[in-house]
């Protein structure tokens, strides 16, 4: 299988608490928003949160 070329994204590997997975899967299914987009939103929110504390 050929490697997928990502133009606007960077592949990374991570893990999350087991107890978060069911809710995360349900959120993605219910909203029909891809998990990668949900993670983008969560990271953006975290960056905004911690950016405010630095200023």
């Amino acid at each position: 299988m050929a490697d997928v070329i990502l133009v606007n994204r960077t592949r990374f590997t991570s893990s999350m608490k087991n107890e978060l997975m069911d809710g995360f899967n349900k959120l993605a299914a219910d909203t029909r928003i891809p998990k990668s987009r949900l993670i983008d939103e969560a990271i953006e929110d975290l960056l905004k949160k911690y950016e405010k504390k630095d200023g």
Side-chain angles (χ1 to χ4, degrees):
M1 180 182 226
D3 287 336
V4 175
I5 298 173
L6 301 174
V7 177
N8 297 313
R9 303 192 71 75
T10 300
R11 186 176 307 275
F12 77 100
T13 303
S14 188
S15 61
M16 71 171 61
K17 294 179 183 179
N18 292 332
E19 55 269 17
L20 296 176
M21 280 307 301
D22 286 342
F24 184 50
N25 289 333
K26 184 172 180 356
L27 178 63
D30 290 350
T31 60
R32 295 173 37 189
I33 298 171
K35 291 177 186 176
S36 60
R37 220 176 271 161
L38 291 172
I39 292 171
D40 286 347
E41 182 178 341
I43 299 298
E44 287 173 1
D45 289 348
L46 279 170
L47 291 172
K48 287 177 188 173
K49 174 184 175 181
Y50 287 99
E51 189 176 89
K52 289 179 183 175
K53 287 186 177 182
D54 289 340

